[in-house]
Amino acid sequence: MPIYFDHNATTPLDPRVLEAMQPYLAGPYGNPSSLHRYGRAARDAVEAARAQVAALAGAQPGEVVWTSGGTESDNLALQGATEGQRPTRVLYGATEHPAVLETAEALRGHGWVVETIAIDGDGLVDWPAFEAQLARGPLRIAALMAANNETGVIHDVGRAAGLVRAAGLVRAAGGLLLCDAVQAAGKIPLDFAACGADLMSLSAHKLYGPKGVGALLRKAEVELAPLLHGGGQERGLRGGTENVAGIVGFGAAAELARTGLEARAAHCLALRERLAAGLHGLPGVTIFGERAPRLPNTLQFALKGWEGEALLMALDRKGIAVSSGSACSSGKGEPSHVLLGMGLPRDLAYGAIRVSLGQDNTAAEIDRFLVVLAELRMAAAA
Amino acid sequence: MIYLDYAATAPLDPNALKAMLPFLRTDSGFANPASAHGPGVQARNAVEAARAQVAALIGAEPNEIVWTSGATESNNLALKGAIEFRGLRSAHIVSARTEHKSVLDSCRHLETVGVRVTLLKPDADGLVSPEQVLEALRPDTTLVSLMWVNNEIGAVQEVQRLAPLLRERGVLFHVDAVQGVGKLPLDLRSTPIDLLSVSAHKLYGPKGIGALYVRRKPRARLAPQMHGGGHEWGMRSGTLPTHQAVGMGVACEVAAARLRVDAERLGGLRELMWQCLQVLPRIHRNGPAESGNTRRAPHVLNVSFEGVEGESLRAALPQLAVSSGSACSSATQEPSYVLRALGRDDELANASLRFSFGRGTTAEHVELAAQMVIRQVQRLRELSPLWTA
Amino acid sequence: MDSVIPSETNPFGYPETIWRLFQETPRAGGFPPDTEGVVTGEAGSHASRAVLRLQLRFDEKGRVADARFRAYGCPSTIAVGAWIAGWCLGKTAFTLSGLQSADLRQTLEISYDRAHCAMVGEDALRAALDRYSGEQKT
């Protein structure tokens, strides 16, 4: 059985989540838009899950819009907030996920001014620069992730929201803040009501839920144009027959994440500290974002003399699954845009390896990983 | 309860479920198919095998199948993606009034950015002839979008005859094939359709996944509608749900094996239902008059009942899971726009039932359902001060 | 899947009274022509998808001895007809004339967007009572 250290790419489904999904996978459950009894049973299940997902993120059920995953949520937020608007300015953090980055960049073609928010070498927002940037002109939407998928660095979303709001007051035309919380959800507490973000993206499969389902949280007063037209589901915001089993699974996973959050975080943090201590014992190791607050389960590092892809493959042969960056950009031969965004040199970025831990990892697996890493180092040196 | 609403959604095929479960379990196959490590490769192989199964059902190459979250997304990607790629703000689209909402709403959206749309009026049978489409073409026509099988009335459009005519004229052809794939044979090697939308849950696959066929030769080009990690050759980003893809793949394989047998059996049940209902005077079959399975989809029968009010008709049949209009429009409680496009008045459009049959339907179910309908239509008619026999 | 499973009652979630009256429709129908003491009131229109015909048979003392109804429309309209036909029994024209559509809405839990169903009930009863008072004068 391989050691799985890639929970930020995706998590296994919690067996209790599968149990909750089973009746909706196999059973005679209908299309939630149908009026008959099968349809209404599906509708009830979808609404119960909506409340569970809302509770995880400190949101109201009415603020939850179902999507096919984090990528669609980010697209719906950025495309939906800009479509039909007079083009002004869109900002996104230099270390955002490709779903935010690529969507924002595509807006250039529609006349928008698109700028990155500067991120420092620790992976944190350069606040004075951000404030000055906000003062330079009007803003439609800014995107800042709750926590980075590669380094695990946690952003102060509340502070960003405060600055965006203050800049809006000066200009009497407030910009919106999108918070991509795909990696943060289930790992650190989220409070959509209090953090000040207008939109928040979530994904089920990063928190032991099923793939193919996600949500966008939206404050009631935020106007969005739909991304998927047709059918009128999700109050016209997102057409398409609901993925009932997936949504039910997301709800169950959210419930487990909410009730088990502290225990999971403590478990992962203890393992990560064990890993960090071991890595510090090896020469030539750089841990990224180490001085910043980070997700308890994430550690990204580089080992001098190793290219990330090569180390990933070597570890894979030893039965250890890690990532060299985000899964989406794996195999593209490009260094992590996250590390480049933090201003780190290319050769160091090329060396990046991400370990992301989960609830089933053990101290023995950490120890095994450290042994294998030491062996690989020795072999390379020989 | 008798479930006669297979056109809204079909239950998951047991083989599809069996194939999906390993990818939902903790010990194997759960990795991200985009991950570079061994478990990721394992998941990716499963997704690619499923892609080949979907392709095989419609005579496509695996690399012509783009996964989506369902047919609504497929239709959105096809229409908006094709138009956006060509960058033609003044492009022209030809479609029909009886299309699915996801096509109509995408068209309406495109109109707001300057695209002009011609929505053809079908004849009283719900059919749009290829000649009618050709007449509507203009020099700036970029795309024709036509559904193969109508979801409400089961009318089968002549997309196979139309496709080469549009190819000759260099017009891109998109087909919403959600209700046709797995029910009627289709070979895209010999039918020059450029873009074709498929949904899993209408053919006994899981909800929340679909596909868009995008022809490689000659290449149909699309601008992505969902940006991100560059999955699906850059056409559709987002982590692929392995279990969903696997379920759809198996469902397509099962559908391919059963297609002819299923079609014949369901067509028989459809006619049995219509025969049973003949006890009632003044009922109307909505859809093509021509008999057989050439113009009528085997699994759909749509009937309007004179002299009864639609909501009461539905309420009087609580033991029958049928739909009036498509599931998507029944939530809004409006009379079916499809039936109105066929020229049915509001009352008949409202007092209609769509029976749709599937693998679980037996002749006994059909006869029992017909008895319920007959009894309740008679009761409501007798109750009405307006009814005169 | 097995396509036949046990069904629940009132799956569409209608108020209980409406659901019962819609299913059972007590006093549905009409009196034979030329029945002594019968007056008929009708209200609503085909176009508005609500038509109610109410027939009341008065006894010599001026009380409703029996009643019948026919209705075309949604379940609420049909239930209104059945409810009025039952409620009328034993009452005088004077008592009946006090019925308001608001009472019907309240008693049958008819939602505000279905208020027209209750109005059709009030109108049909009023039409029957007008006919009755007209006949009393001649």
Side-chain angles (χ1 to χ4, degrees):
Chain A
M1 173 104 179
I3 296 175
Y4 188 77
F5 279 172
D6 200 12
H7 291 82
N8 286 10
T10 192
T11 54
L13 201 63
D14 189 298
R16 291 166 291 183
V17 172
L18 177 56
E19 205 175 301
M21 291 169 70
Q22 281 278 12
Y24 300 90
L25 284 170
Y29 287 92
N31 185 323
S33 291
S34 295
L35 283 175
H36 50 68
R37 190 163 74 84
Y38 289 117
R40 282 188 318 278
R43 162 73 37 222
D44 292 347
V46 166
E47 294 314 312
R50 202 186 293 279
Q52 289 172 313
V53 169
L56 172 67
Q60 297 300 315
E63 294 172 331
V64 177
V65 180
W66 301 120
T67 67
S68 65
T71 293
E72 185 182 330
S73 299
D74 287 335
N75 273 264
L76 174 57
L78 289 171
Q79 294 191 48
T82 51
E83 196 191 299
Q85 303 282 333
R86 190 178 57 81
T88 52
R89 199 160 56 129
V90 173
L91 305 179
Y92 68 89
T95 56
E96 291 295 302
H97 188 271
V100 165
L101 185 159
E102 296 292 341
T103 308
E105 288 298 325
L107 291 171
R108 288 186 197 278
H110 299 275
W112 292 81
V113 174
V114 180
E115 299 170 3
T116 55
I117 300 166
I119 301 293
D120 67 20
D122 291 327
L124 293 167
V125 174
D126 180 340
W127 294 108
F130 183 43
E131 208 170 340
Q133 187 176 31
L134 285 171
R136 271 203 298 275
L139 172 74
R140 175 58 189 162
I141 187 166
L144 188 66
M145 65 209 315
N148 185 269
N149 47 310
E150 293 190 24
T151 59
V153 168
I154 297 169
H155 289 304
D156 187 345
V157 175
R159 184 170 175 184
L163 290 176
V164 168
R165 181 144 309 134
L169 287 175
V170 171
R171 210 158 284 104
L176 302 173
L177 183 69
L178 161 66
C179 173
D180 176 344
V182 165
Q183 285 300 342
K187 299 185 183 118
I188 53 171
L190 291 174
D191 193 339
F192 184 57
C195 78
D198 302 283
L199 297 156
M200 183 178 275
S201 301
L202 302 172
S203 168
H205 77 100
K206 308 283 190 192
L207 44 86
Y208 305 93
K211 294 176 186 63
V213 61
L216 179 67
L217 306 182
R218 177 188 68 124
K219 294 267 164 69
E221 65 274 14
V222 177
E223 277 187 42
L224 287 183
L227 191 62
L228 296 185
H229 300 270
Q233 288 90 348
E234 299 298 286
R235 284 178 279 167
L237 256 180
R238 204 273 184 176
T241 298
E242 292 89 339
N243 173 3
V244 181
I247 287 169
V248 167
F250 191 6
E255 178 89 32
L256 291 170
R258 187 173 59 82
T259 52
L261 191 119
E262 280 178 33
R264 277 184 198 176
H267 173 77
C268 288
L269 188 60
L271 294 181
R272 194 190 73 188
E273 283 179 347
R274 190 183 187 95
L275 173 63
L279 288 174
H280 282 305
L282 294 174
V285 166
T286 308
I287 296 178
F288 301 111
E290 198 173 13
R291 288 186 299 179
R294 280 173 300 152
L295 293 176
N297 78 319
T298 308
L299 190 151
Q300 192 180 32
F301 70 97
L303 187 60
K304 197 173 166 59
W306 278 89
E307 207 178 278
E309 292 287 333
L311 187 52
L312 182 152
M313 293 304 168
L315 288 166
D316 188 39
R317 279 192 291 276
K318 300 277 184 184
I320 299 171
V322 296
S323 158
S324 60
S326 80
C328 308
S329 51
S330 288
K332 281 188 192 160
E334 272 296 301
S336 150
H337 79 279
V338 170
L339 299 177
L340 296 182
M342 287 160 63
L344 299 178
R346 280 182 87 85
D347 56 342
L348 192 58
Y350 262 120
I353 280 289
R354 178 185 72 185
V355 172
S356 48
L357 305 167
Q359 60 187 15
D360 298 324
N361 288 133
T362 61
E365 289 176 333
I366 297 288
D367 296 344
R368 164 88 186 130
F369 175 80
L370 288 167
V371 167
V372 168
L373 203 62
E375 283 171 6
L376 290 172
R377 247 192 92 255
M378 296 299 284
Chain B
M1 175 166 289
I2 302 177
Y3 188 84
L4 293 181
D5 203 12
Y6 285 85
T9 192
L12 192 60
D13 180 89
N15 291 311
L17 176 60
K18 212 169 116 197
M20 288 166 72
L21 284 174
F23 297 93
L24 289 168
R25 297 233 160 90
T26 317
D27 48 352
S28 68
F30 68 84
N32 191 323
S35 287
H37 46 62
V41 172
Q42 193 191 336
R44 187 151 63 250
N45 289 344
V47 167
E48 295 312 315
R51 201 192 295 275
Q53 287 169 314
V54 175
L57 176 62
I58 55 176
E61 294 298 322
N63 66 2
E64 295 177 315
I65 302 298
V66 173
W67 298 112
T68 66
S69 63
T72 291
E73 187 185 334
S74 300
N75 285 337
N76 273 260
L77 175 56
L79 270 73
K80 295 188 291 191
I83 297 295
E84 196 187 309
F85 181 84
R86 300 197 168 198
L88 303 174
R89 282 296 156 109
S90 59
H92 178 235
I93 294 177
V94 176
S95 190
R97 295 183 194 178
T98 46
E99 293 297 305
H100 189 263
K101 284 276 187 200
S102 53
V103 166
L104 294 177
D105 287 358
S106 293
C107 284
R108 190 171 312 146
H109 166 75
L110 287 167
E111 278 181 323
T112 66
V113 295
V115 174
R116 274 151 309 148
V117 178
T118 301
L119 293 181
L120 298 171
K121 182 175 171 10
D123 64 17
D125 288 351
L127 294 171
V128 172
S129 71
E131 290 68 30
Q132 207 182 337
V133 173
L134 296 184
E135 273 168 34
L137 296 182
R138 305 193 316 208
D140 59 347
T141 304
T142 312
L143 177 78
V144 171
S145 177
L146 209 58
M147 78 202 302
W148 186 14
V149 173
N150 184 273
N151 52 315
E152 292 193 31
I153 57 173
V156 180
Q157 305 288 0
E158 292 180 83
V159 295
Q160 279 108 328
R161 189 157 75 83
L162 179 58
L165 301 173
L166 291 174
R167 168 61 52 79
E168 281 169 23
R169 289 159 178 81
V171 176
L172 210 59
F173 188 23
H174 167 251
V175 173
D176 173 355
V178 167
Q179 295 287 351
V181 166
K183 313 251 169 30
L184 299 170
L186 176 67
D187 188 352
L188 290 168
R189 280 169 296 231
S190 55
T191 310
I193 290 168
D194 301 291
L195 301 160
L196 183 122
S197 302
V198 187
S199 166
H201 76 105
K202 311 281 188 189
L203 45 81
Y204 306 88
K207 291 181 190 57
I209 188 159
L212 180 66
Y213 162 85
V214 184
R215 184 174 288 278
R216 291 268 170 173
K217 284 178 193 166
R219 190 159 188 175
R221 290 178 179 275
L222 299 176
Q225 299 301 299
M226 236 184 262
H227 307 273
H231 308 73
E232 303 296 281
W233 304 282
M235 277 187 271
R236 200 275 187 181
S237 290
T239 295
L240 292 172
T242 316
H243 66 289
Q244 302 270 74
V246 166
M248 182 169 179
V250 171
C252 285
E253 193 170 278
V254 172
R258 304 183 48 139
L259 196 137
R260 271 165 220 289
V261 175
D262 274 1
E264 197 165 315
R265 201 181 73 84
L266 297 184
L269 293 174
R270 180 196 66 198
E271 293 312 306
L272 174 64
M273 175 64 99
W274 179 240
Q275 284 312 313
C276 290
L277 292 175
Q278 293 310 306
V279 176
L280 293 168
R282 286 153 71 182
I283 63 173
H284 305 273
R285 185 171 184 157
N286 298 312
E290 186 187 315
S291 61
N293 283 351
T294 322
R295 290 287 154 262
R296 291 172 179 166
H299 63 302
V300 178
L301 174 70
N302 191 311
V303 182
S304 286
F305 301 85
E306 279 186 44
V308 299
E309 190 277 333
E311 185 188 338
S312 279
L313 177 62
R314 293 186 288 276
L317 295 164
Q319 283 144 309
L320 196 55
V322 293
S323 103
S324 47
S326 77
C328 302
S329 64
S330 58
T332 57
Q333 298 260 11
E334 286 163 8
S336 153
Y337 68 91
V338 170
L339 296 185
R340 283 202 287 198
L342 266 56
R344 292 279 186 229
D345 63 37
D346 271 10
E347 186 186 21
L348 278 182
N350 191 257
S352 68
L353 296 175
R354 178 190 68 181
F355 307 97
S356 51
F357 314 100
R359 290 184 196 149
T361 315
T362 64
E364 289 70 38
H365 293 148
V366 168
E367 284 162 359
L368 202 59
Q371 279 170 26
M372 291 177 187
V373 172
I374 292 164
R375 197 163 53 235
Q376 293 304 324
V377 169
Q378 285 173 340
R379 180 174 88 92
L380 291 171
R381 283 175 173 179
E382 278 164 21
L383 203 54
S384 167
L386 306 174
W387 178 256
T388 45
Chain C
M1 103 193 213
D2 186 355
S3 292
V4 181
I5 60 165
S7 49
E8 64 192 40
T9 57
N10 191 8
F12 290 91
Y14 287 99
E16 273 311 316
T17 316
I18 289 182
W19 183 244
R20 186 177 53 78
L21 292 170
F22 172 67
Q23 287 205 303
E24 297 170 5
T25 56
R27 296 180 188 79
F31 294 111
D34 308 325
T35 309
E36 199 66 19
V38 170
V39 292
T40 303
E42 192 169 307
S45 69
H46 192 188
S48 70
R49 293 219 201 101
V51 179
L52 178 60
R53 181 185 295 162
L54 195 62
Q55 290 191 308
L56 307 178
R57 184 165 68 75
F58 284 88
D59 62 16
E60 316 80 63
K61 293 174 193 153
R63 290 179 187 275
V64 175
D66 205 355
R68 294 283 183 275
F69 83 99
R70 284 189 201 275
Y72 167 86
C74 68
S76 303
T77 305
I78 291 170
V80 162
W83 187 86
I84 294 178
W87 177 79
C88 282
L89 301 178
K91 294 188 173 65
T92 62
F94 178 76
T95 312
L96 297 181
S97 66
L99 185 74
Q100 303 275 327
S101 67
D103 305 330
L104 287 165
R105 275 216 317 273
Q106 202 175 4
T107 309
L108 295 177
E109 299 172 64
I110 293 171
S111 60
Y112 204 77
D113 59 321
R114 297 289 173 104
H116 71 278
C117 303
M119 286 174 193
V120 166
E122 181 188 319
D123 292 350
L125 178 61
R126 200 128 294 171
L129 293 176
D130 285 351
R131 184 66 60 87
Y132 179 68
S133 64
E135 283 179 10
Q136 292 304 95
K137 279 172 196 152
T138 56

